């Protein structure tokens, strides 16, 4: 862990609070993109814990995001009529915690029976989980079914998105660089050797899966209260794939690289709106070129696995 990281976290949150105080003077379009960036950073660093630090290939991260999104949105919609407007921040905080916890519970339910699998098999199972979640919400009339859930209060602002992203990045980096967290890296490098040293690989993989799912649920809650309307199609395979690309492009296991990749891949599609007809083609080609040029990750600057920052 970087010396003084806790102090830097406090400074970052204070700076975010100051910037957020002036956010009403910013262009609403750019402010919306900035909030999207914060949410995507949370998604990327949480998946990086599962893929980059523990070596599990998961394609179901959008499923955890959906659980947190629908849970928090349902909670705040139900409570808004019974609390004054001044209680909105506490309502959002409750939604974030509730959404994160339910997503973590789903992570535990999926992780315990499946994380004995490896590689392609685990990817298929997590992909199936994500699709099951999407189909469940698509057929659940209580949350709008295929039409989606609308009328969600707009509680997510710059401060909530970026301060939560800073806390998520710090928490995961602190966990990985702790004595317990070194077990994640041991499992990633060699499960058999880790077992021989007394480390239980399944327990570490499930822990990473649950923590990653929790933060994905929190990101989903912020997303719901930013977009104000959520739809099951917004949490499909392509969303999971988008998060996976952020992790791979940033360099698996590199927190700083993954954060930079999340920022780049959120802004890039918006920059290409001027060529809307060819936007996705150009975007895809750029990703292919970058991956061919830097297969180890665009922002992998060091090869020392122990120095996770």
């Amino acid at each position: 862990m970087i010396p003084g990281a806790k102090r830097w976290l406090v400074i970052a949150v204070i700076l975010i609070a100051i910037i957020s105080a002036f956010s009403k003077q910013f262009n609403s379009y750019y402010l919306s993109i900035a909030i999207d960036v914060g949410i995507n950073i949370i998604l990327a660093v949480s998946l990086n814990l599962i893929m980059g630090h523990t070596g599990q290939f998961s394609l179901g991260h959008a499923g955890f995001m959906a659980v947190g999104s629908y849970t928090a949105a349902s909670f705040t919609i139900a409570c808004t009529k019974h609390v004054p407007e001044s209680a909105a921040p506490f309502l959002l905080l409750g939604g974030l915690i509730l959404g994160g916890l339910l997503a973590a519970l789903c992570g535990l339910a999926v992780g315990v029976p499946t994380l004995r699998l490896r590689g392609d098999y685990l990817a298929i199972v997590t992909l199936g989980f994500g699709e099951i979640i999407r189909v469940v919400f698509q057929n659940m009339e209580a949350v709008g079914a295929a039409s989606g859930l609308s009328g969600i209060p707009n509680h997510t602002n710059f401060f909530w998105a970026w301060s939560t992203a800073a806390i998520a990045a710090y928490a995961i980096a602190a966990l990985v660089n702790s004595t317990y967290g070194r077990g994640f890296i041991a499992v990633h490098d060699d499960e058999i050797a880790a077992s021989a040293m007394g480390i239980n690989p399944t327990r570490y993989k499930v822990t990473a899966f649950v923590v990653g799912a929790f933060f994905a649920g929190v990101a989903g809650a912020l997303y719901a209260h930013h977009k104000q309307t959520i739809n099951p199609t917004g949490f499909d395979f392509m969303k999971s794939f988008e998060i996976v690309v952020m992790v791979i492009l940033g360099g698996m296991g590199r927190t700083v690289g993954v954060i930079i990749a999340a920022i780049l891949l959120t802004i890039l599609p918006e920059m290409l709106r001027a060529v809307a007809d060819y936007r996705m083609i150009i975007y895809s080609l750029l990703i292919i070129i970058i991956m061919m040029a830097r297969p180890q990750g665009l922002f992998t600057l060091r090869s020392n696995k122990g120095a996770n920052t």
Side-chain angles (χ1 to χ4, degrees), residues 28-271:
S28 58
Y29 171 68
Y30 295 123
L31 182 61
S32 177
I33 295 173
I35 293 172
D36 286 338
V37 168
I39 294 170
N40 282 338
I41 287 174
I42 302 170
L43 291 168
V45 296
S46 60
L47 184 61
N48 189 41
L49 174 65
I50 299 171
M51 286 182 57
H53 295 301
T54 320
Q56 308 307 304
F57 194 75
S58 172
L59 288 173
H61 221 52
F64 300 125
M65 184 186 176
V67 172
S69 190
Y70 275 96
T71 302
S74 301
F75 172 74
T76 51
I77 288 174
C79 296
T80 297
K81 297 176 183 175
H82 307 290
V83 298
E85 192 174 339
S86 58
F90 301 102
L91 210 56
L92 177 61
L93 182 61
L96 295 182
I97 295 172
L98 197 61
L101 288 177
L102 200 60
L105 191 63
C106 291
L108 181 65
V110 175
V112 169
T114 61
L115 285 179
R116 294 180 188 279
L117 302 173
R118 297 180 185 179
D120 299 342
Y121 300 105
L122 178 61
I124 292 169
V125 170
T126 52
L127 174 62
F129 161 75
E131 286 301 295
I132 289 170
I133 291 292
R134 185 182 64 79
V135 172
V136 167
F137 284 124
Q138 194 165 331
N139 291 280
M140 192 180 291
E141 293 293 339
V143 291
S147 300
L149 188 59
S150 58
I152 304 169
N154 182 16
H155 292 327
T156 300
N157 55 25
F158 182 86
F159 173 78
W160 279 103
W162 277 83
S163 61
T164 308
I167 291 170
Y170 171 82
I172 290 174
L175 175 64
V176 171
N177 287 282
S178 67
T179 304
Y180 181 86
R182 291 295 168 184
F184 296 127
I185 298 170
V187 170
H188 173 279
D189 289 344
D190 192 328
E191 281 191 33
I192 296 174
S195 297
M197 295 298 293
I199 293 174
N200 184 337
T202 303
R203 191 180 72 179
Y204 278 86
K205 287 192 287 186
V206 170
T207 301
F209 213 65
V210 170
V211 174
F214 173 82
F215 282 111
V218 170
L222 290 168
Y223 175 83
H225 292 88
H226 172 49
K227 300 298 182 185
Q228 296 183 267
T229 300
I230 51 176
N231 189 293
T233 55
F235 306 102
D236 60 5
F237 164 72
M238 288 307 297
K239 184 62 183 178
S240 291
F241 182 71
E242 182 184 312
I243 307 167
V244 169
V245 170
M246 291 175 187
V247 175
I248 295 175
L249 190 65
M252 291 199 293
R254 305 292 174 182
T255 304
V256 175
V258 167
I259 291 172
I260 296 172
I263 295 171
L264 179 66
L265 292 182
T266 308
I267 294 175
L268 189 58
E270 301 300 329
M271 293 175 64

